[in-house]
Amino acid sequence: QSALTQPPSASGSPGQSVTISCTGTSSDVGGYNYVSWYQQHPGKAPKLMIYEVSKRPSGVPDRFSGSKSGNTASLTVSGLQAEDEADYYCCSYAGSNIKVFGGGTKLTVL
Amino acid sequence: EVQLVESGGGLVQPGRSLRLSCAASGFTFDDYAMHWVRQAPGKGLEWVSGISWNSGSIGYADSVKGRFTISRDNAKNSLYLQMNSLRAEDMALYYCAKAGGIAAALDYWGQGTLVTVSS
């Protein structure tokens, strides 16, 4: 059960797009379409932003999108806004009733 | 409105036990899997354990296997985490979260309960 690999930080200016990667193995990210992404603002509980690789829950802006290629999943935030500044975590099912999170990426809006 | 309210956290000595609870409301509890996720101070999220709607499927992170036990009482709309042989590294904010299935995403989270392990 190794954590998924995310870059510690990412940044972009308002209106720009930024992509955060999440690399796992064929036993987790590459093996299942149960990749999800969570946004966490300081002192708050995480919020689901993307589920099943690329689906958006109701209420999540369409500026947020997800994709997967092989063992790497990605979250893209388009048209960056100040309120998008937060920590982002990926998570994948890893079989045998196990889940694994990424280490998290701090997104800064410049 | 979905509500998940954790309780049971507190200060505990290394080696001792603690039982966390999560009271659920606003949805049909026994239709959903439930999970525990923790976050050590200043650190990232760590999945701890998950349980299917009927307790038929259960999983644990390697870091807690053999020490923690997840359970649920569908009649009481409650989720539990029995934590034994606590270690300093178990100190964290513990969240409960709801999911469509044991593999599915965590779509609602509680606000967490803090567990402090210290002598």
Side-chain angles (χ1 to χ4, degrees), chain A residues 1 38 40 45 89 97-99, chain B residues 39 47 60-62 103-104 106:
Chain A
Q1 296 177 10
Y38 303 87
Q40 187 180 35
Y89 296 90
N97 305 322
I98 302 295
K99 284 182 175 296
Chain B
Q39 186 169 35
W47 179 82
Y60 297 98
D62 284 345
L106 310 176

Side-chain angles (χ1 to χ4, degrees), chain A residues 3-34:
Chain A
L4 306 176
T5 300
Q6 296 181 236
S9 63
S11 62
S13 299
Q16 289 187 331
S17 293
V18 64
T19 297
I20 299 170
S21 62
C22 169
T23 301
T25 69
S26 58
S27 296
D28 39 61
V29 174
Y32 303 93
N33 285 326
Y34 286 110

Side-chain angles (χ1 to χ4, degrees), chain B residues 24-84:
Chain B
S25 61
F27 64 101
T28 304
F29 184 70
D30 54 11
D31 276 350
Y32 293 91
M34 297 294 296
H35 295 260
W36 289 100
V37 177
R38 69 185 181 185
Q39 186 169 35
K43 301 296 184 182
L45 300 175
E46 180 186 13
W47 179 82
V48 173
S49 182
I51 185 168
S52 62
W53 68 275
N54 65 350
S55 304
S57 295
I58 288 176
Y60 297 98
D62 284 345
S63 58
V64 306
K65 196 177 300 181
R67 299 187 300 121
F68 290 11
T69 301
I70 192 172
S71 63
R72 64 189 296 162
D73 185 336
N74 288 343
K76 295 183 178 180
N77 288 352
S78 292
L79 173 72
Y80 306 102
L81 186 69
Q82 177 67 41
M83 304 186 296
N84 298 333

Side-chain angles (χ1 to χ4, degrees), chain B residues 1 3-4 6 32 34-35 46 59 61 73 87 91 93 117:
Chain B
E1 178 195 4
Q3 285 201 332
L4 298 169
E6 302 91 339
Y32 293 91
M34 297 294 296
H35 295 260
E46 180 186 13
D73 185 336
R87 305 167 179 168
M91 184 163 65
L93 184 64
V117 183

